[in-house]
Amino acid sequence: MIIDDDKSVEFDFILLGEKPAKLEILRCRKLERLSINRLLEGLVVMNSPKLTELYVPTENNLKYVDLYKCNKLLDFSFLRRLDSVLYLSVGGNSNLKNLDFLNDSSNVVILNLSESKLIKDSSVVNKLKKLKKLKYLTTAATQKNWLY
């Protein structure tokens, strides 16, 4: 299911009867709150600069999560509960200060941190070293953000 350039402030998919494999929310610039159901396997939220709340049920089937340029989203702790996520992208979020939401036992295999300054933080680098299942890491930074 794809929602593109919608003007809604809130989307609630908790009671969605069908099982969409993937939900894509693109360029919904007024969106502030999003709730998803436990059956969803993939979630993409891009360019939703006013998103402040993202509700993910404790029991969920998410395997793919991409949150890009959701700069008002300050609480990423819900990601700690996503045990089945294999692909996680949190690039482009200037508000992201650390990776504390990732447990050392996380199942994340692919992690995208592009367009963030996280990689220049030595505590983040140490955190990445502890992720046992992490195989692929994407980072991109301007030369002034490189870690020397």
Side-chain angles (χ1 to χ4, degrees), residues 114-131:
S114 63
E115 296 182 46
S116 78
K117 297 177 183 175
L118 286 176
I119 201 64
K120 71 180 194 175
D121 184 339
S122 61
S123 67
V124 170
V125 173
N126 289 333
K127 179 71 166 178
L128 292 170
K129 290 178 183 177
K130 294 178 183 177
L131 298 176

Side-chain angles (χ1 to χ4, degrees), residues 4 8 28 33 36 40 54 66 72-73 101 105-106 110 115 123 126 131 134 136 148:
D4 189 3
S8 299
C28 293
R33 292 174 300 284
I36 64 169
L40 198 65
L54 177 53
D66 187 348
K72 293 268 177 139
L73 187 61
F101 55 82
S105 60
S106 168
I110 302 169
E115 296 182 46
S123 67
N126 289 333
L131 298 176
L134 183 64
Y136 304 98
Y148 290 99

Side-chain angles (χ1 to χ4, degrees), residues 47-141:
N47 296 308
S48 294
K50 292 188 177 182
L51 182 67
T52 57
E53 297 174 36
L54 177 53
Y55 172 75
V56 178
T58 302
E59 291 184 25
N60 62 75
N61 291 317
L62 282 172
K63 293 174 181 39
Y64 180 100
V65 176
D66 187 348
L67 302 171
Y68 179 73
K69 293 206 176 187
C70 300
N71 289 319
K72 293 268 177 139
L73 187 61
L74 300 176
D75 184 6
F76 288 86
S77 63
F78 67 92
L79 293 170
R80 191 174 292 124
R81 297 190 318 265
L82 305 183
D83 297 330
S84 58
V85 170
L86 302 173
Y87 176 91
L88 176 61
S89 177
V90 289
N93 290 296
S94 59
N95 55 332
L96 191 59
K97 304 296 183 213
N98 59 54
L99 295 178
D100 291 348
F101 55 82
L102 280 176
N103 298 321
D104 295 350
S105 60
S106 168
N107 288 317
V108 172
V109 175
I110 302 169
L111 178 62
N112 178 8
L113 298 176
S114 63
E115 296 182 46
S116 78
K117 297 177 183 175
L118 286 176
I119 201 64
K120 71 180 194 175
D121 184 339
S122 61
S123 67
V124 170
V125 173
N126 289 333
K127 179 71 166 178
L128 292 170
K129 290 178 183 177
K130 294 178 183 177
L131 298 176
K132 296 172 179 73
K133 297 186 180 175
L134 183 64
K135 301 290 183 212
Y136 304 98
L137 173 65
T138 303
T139 62

